[in-house]
Amino acid sequence: MYGTMQDVPLLVSRILEHGRTIHGRSTVTTWTGEQEPHRRTFAEIGDRAAQLAHALRDELGVTPGSALGTLMWNNAEHVEAYLAIPSMGAVLHTLNLRLPAEQLVWIVNHADDKVVLANGSLLPLLAPLLPHLPSVEHVVVSGPGDRSLLDGLAPTVHEYEELIAGRPTSYAWPELDERSAAAMCYTSGTTGDPKGVVYSHRSIYLHSMQVNMAESMGLTDKDTTLVVVPQFHVNAWGLPHATFMTGVNMLMPDRFLQPAPLAEMIERERPTHAAAVPTIWQGLLAEVTAKPRDLSSMASVTIGGAACPPSLMEAYDKLGVRLCHAWGMTETSPLGTMSNPPAGLTDEQEWPYRITQGRFPAGVEARLVGPGGEHLPWDGESAGELEVRGAWIAGAYYGGADGEDLRPEDKFSEDGWLKTGDVGVISADGYLTLTDRAKDVIKSGGEWISSVDLENALMAHPDVAEAAVVAVPDEKWGERPLATVVLKEGATADYAALRTFLAQSVAKWQLPERWTIIPAVPKTSVGKFDKKVIRRQYADGELDITQL
Ligand code: ADP
């Protein structure tokens, strides 16, 4: 027997039409660096998305299934692309503008992008790549920037505003298969070639609903979210689509991602929520410590992409801003967990929950797998690799236009679960605590040391701005931790004192012997600690090591 309900495909076009009509008054505000930011309502965005779709189909010949790259900051035009491209049946391919040129070229060629939508300010980045991008037939440019950089290059260049002007503001969106491709995002490829994750309409729809649940971000049309996490970093964690479902106003920083303009945006526009990786919140904290600003409008902040040091949460608690820890990956759309504590607890009782990565929402199933492939209990102690499955979790990687989907053994289990490469424990009530990425764990004499535990403990020291701990080879123990520390301005290094401080929170045998001060922790293209750079610098003898 089947259910008797209607079978309406879950499509991005439905999210778009819902937002433009039911939440037509909600706004997308884009920072311009000038006195007044730029504002556009959801109704206007919806109209312009329809105009963009007409232009892409009628003028540029975009057909269902073609991939279109976006090389853009977070702004209203990028939201229009997010809605128009999937809704018309094409595939939105966000390009990470911080990737090295060779990787960007590889990714665009692999995805076979026919069109690139670019912000004018990013043309210096795009222009030298174009001769290596044979599939790209058109470039559509929006926002300020020098167009002459594209002179003489092969693709036809279009001005975004001219291209969409005067076209119809409604579009007969096709009734697509909800499992068809809507968007794609490549993982940054820390090992091997980047891998493409292809989100379906259905996965985006269901993920957006989960983002909006009170259990997760729980925002409404009374909220404004400051979307710092780039639209090229796992679809800005799903926010541009999720907000169109519930009318949450969006504040978009465009290219103004430095701590000073972010602080100004928050003070002037008073967002109630924000989302970004820990590095952004560390930078902002230093800024507002030097020059106090009122951040208190932000009732909640979603922080993820890398472990959030508890000391950072404490510092923001004092500013009246509550950081809520979330875990996810490109492969998980990304919402995998969020650390809202269970009901009925005091602040003090909530704390141990808040510092975990959080619990799994309905729609994400999890299991822990030990080194021998055995499934481990959720007892808060048994550590293993986290595997997940669900309707917005990748089941394969994109194999290219002519290739088959890829299911590498190290990323997918035989029964189809995603192997996350993250190691941790899960408590009996379903809260995940990650101790490390499998590749960052320090294997010392048969015991595992969590680099994240050491980093969190070090970053709680008042003189320490940032700290990254990596495994380095050791004759006696196999591997030992190397502590690399960034000091706060004016502080001086006293390794012995730092080690004593560390000894208050970690076991003695875990204390690093090797120490070094560095000017800044190297970061990946999405602002995470880039530990492979530190390991290489150590191997190449570039670091000035003090042995204790
Ligand atoms: P990349 O692999 O290029 O960093 P992703 O953005 O997909 O790309 O990164 C996902 C990884 O980031 C996770 O597997 C995990 O290791 C790490 N991560 C994400 N959120 C958290 C978090 N809250 N705490 C610890 N690690 C996290």
Side-chain angles (χ1 to χ4, degrees):
M1 185 164 97
Y2 288 104
T4 61
M5 312 316 284
Q6 299 179 13
D7 195 4
V8 177
L10 307 177
L11 300 178
V12 171
S13 56
R14 298 213 146 83
I15 300 179
L16 155 56
E17 292 301 336
H18 176 81
R20 90 186 303 187
T21 51
I22 305 293
H23 297 296
R25 280 181 302 191
S26 296
T27 54
V28 177
T29 300
T30 305
W31 207 248
T32 56
E34 286 157 24
Q35 191 50 32
E36 265 308 296
H38 174 270
R39 293 183 211 281
R40 204 168 274 161
T41 63
F42 279 19
E44 289 167 327
I45 299 257
D47 288 356
R48 288 165 54 90
Q51 292 181 309
L52 175 61
H54 280 287
L56 293 175
R57 186 190 62 189
D58 300 341
E59 194 79 22
L60 274 58
V62 170
T63 49
S66 359
L68 284 78
T70 57
L71 191 66
M72 301 173 85
W73 303 104
N74 290 10
N75 51 43
E77 290 74 25
H78 207 173
V79 175
E80 289 158 11
Y82 257 58
L83 296 165
I85 294 172
S87 294
M88 67 187 292
V91 184
L92 168 84
H93 174 202
T94 51
L95 298 170
N96 179 343
L97 54 94
R98 299 218 175 80
L99 286 184
E102 326 74 77
Q103 270 195 36
L104 269 175
V105 166
W106 192 94
I107 286 171
V108 174
N109 288 332
H110 191 258
D112 198 30
D113 292 336
K114 300 279 184 261
V115 176
V116 174
L117 281 78
N119 282 143
S121 56
L122 293 168
L123 296 183
L125 181 66
L126 180 63
L129 307 185
L130 284 172
H132 310 285
L133 306 177
S135 63
V136 177
E137 294 161 12
H138 300 273
V139 177
V140 182
V141 188
S142 59
D146 179 6
R147 272 55 170 172
S148 72
L149 291 168
L150 300 180
D151 286 353
L153 294 170
T156 315
V157 179
H158 308 263
E159 197 58 49
Y160 186 92
E161 292 301 330
E162 287 168 17
L163 188 66
I164 70 169
R167 294 187 192 268
T169 52
S170 63
Y171 190 104
W173 304 116
E175 206 57 16
L176 305 163
D177 178 343
E178 66 178 15
R179 289 172 183 77
S180 59
M184 65 199 304
C185 200
Y186 281 74
T187 63
S188 42
T190 38
T191 49
D193 287 331
K195 299 182 194 73
V197 174
V198 183
Y199 309 104
S200 64
H201 285 263
R202 174 184 154 83
S203 75
I204 289 179
Y205 199 103
L206 294 171
H207 179 261
S208 302
M209 293 189 84
Q210 181 54 58
V211 167
N212 286 323
M213 279 173 73
E215 167 90 3
S216 300
M217 298 190 204
L219 305 174
T220 72
D221 57 354
K222 297 184 185 71
D223 289 295
T224 297
T225 177
L226 169 60
V227 189
V228 186
V229 54
Q231 287 186 251
F232 58 74
H233 186 199
V234 212
N235 298 330
W237 299 350
L239 281 166
H241 291 129
T243 51
F244 254 67
M245 276 189 170
T246 44
V248 182
N249 302 284
M250 279 182 271
L251 175 58
M252 297 303 218
D254 200 81
R255 59 193 186 281
F256 304 97
L257 290 165
Q258 308 72 23
L262 285 178
E264 195 186 335
M265 260 171 245
I266 296 166
E267 203 167 51
R268 275 176 48 192
E269 295 290 322
R270 303 198 58 74
T272 56
H273 173 263
V277 294
T279 308
I280 295 282
W281 301 115
Q282 294 275 17
L284 188 68
L285 183 64
E287 169 75 21
V288 299
T289 307
K291 185 175 173 206
R293 299 275 202 157
D294 181 8
L295 307 182
S296 64
S297 65
M298 291 192 296
S300 70
V301 159
T302 305
I303 181 165
C308 171
S311 53
L312 191 64
M313 266 184 210
E314 277 171 327
Y316 274 93
D317 276 354
K318 289 192 187 118
L319 298 173
V321 177
R322 188 174 165 113
L323 302 186
C324 183
H325 204 181
W327 165 86
M329 310 168 66
T330 305
E331 290 87 337
T332 65
S333 292
L335 194 66
T337 62
M338 273 198 78
S339 71
N340 289 307
L345 302 183
T346 62
D347 285 355
E348 211 176 316
Q349 291 165 332
E350 282 190 342
W351 181 250
Y353 287 99
R354 289 183 59 201
I355 60 177
T356 70
Q357 267 69 18
R359 63 182 164 187
F360 302 95
V364 179
E365 292 169 65
R367 67 187 185 195
L368 285 177
V369 180
E374 71 283 15
H375 293 177
L376 302 173
W378 291 13
D379 57 9
E381 282 175 13
S382 308
E385 182 178 359
L386 174 68
E387 296 189 356
V388 289
R389 85 169 164 192
W392 56 85
I393 312 286
Y397 295 113
Y398 181 55
D402 307 315
E404 299 229 333
D405 288 349
L406 312 169
R407 289 186 184 78
E409 258 174 38
D410 61 331
K411 295 301 288 186
F412 299 97
S413 70
E414 267 176 25
D415 55 351
W417 291 56
L418 174 75
K419 299 181 178 178
T420 65
D422 288 323
V423 175
V425 299
I426 302 177
S427 65
D429 49 357
Y431 282 81
L432 168 75
T433 300
L434 290 183
T435 42
D436 239 321
R437 278 189 151 186
K439 57 179 186 268
D440 291 335
V441 166
I442 303 155
K443 294 176 185 132
S444 170
E447 298 282 348
W448 286 12
I449 302 176
S450 157
S451 65
V452 173
D453 282 354
L454 292 174
E455 287 160 6
N456 284 345
L458 271 173
M459 286 194 268
H461 190 281
D463 288 340
V464 175
E466 278 183 335
V469 178
V470 299
V472 294
D474 183 271
E475 259 182 31
K476 184 161 171 209
W477 299 103
E479 286 178 355
R480 289 294 298 160
L482 158 70
T484 67
V485 177
V486 181
L487 292 173
K488 284 192 183 151
E489 233 177 88
T492 46
D494 181 347
Y495 294 120
L498 286 177
R499 197 167 191 269
T500 310
F501 179 78
L502 207 49
Q504 293 169 15
S505 39
V506 302
K508 199 159 167 260
W509 62 271
Q510 301 189 343
L511 294 174
E513 299 77 25
R514 298 169 182 84
W515 293 76
T516 186
I517 301 291
I518 51 175
V521 176
K523 306 276 172 18
T524 69
S525 60
V526 289
K528 305 185 194 189
F529 288 2
D530 198 345
K531 296 193 182 178
K532 70 179 183 319
V533 172
I534 303 177
R535 285 192 282 260
R536 202 209 56 232
Q537 288 171 338
Y538 179 82
D540 292 350
E542 286 171 23
L543 300 174
D544 183 13
I545 304 293
T546 297
Q547 188 100 17
L548 290 191

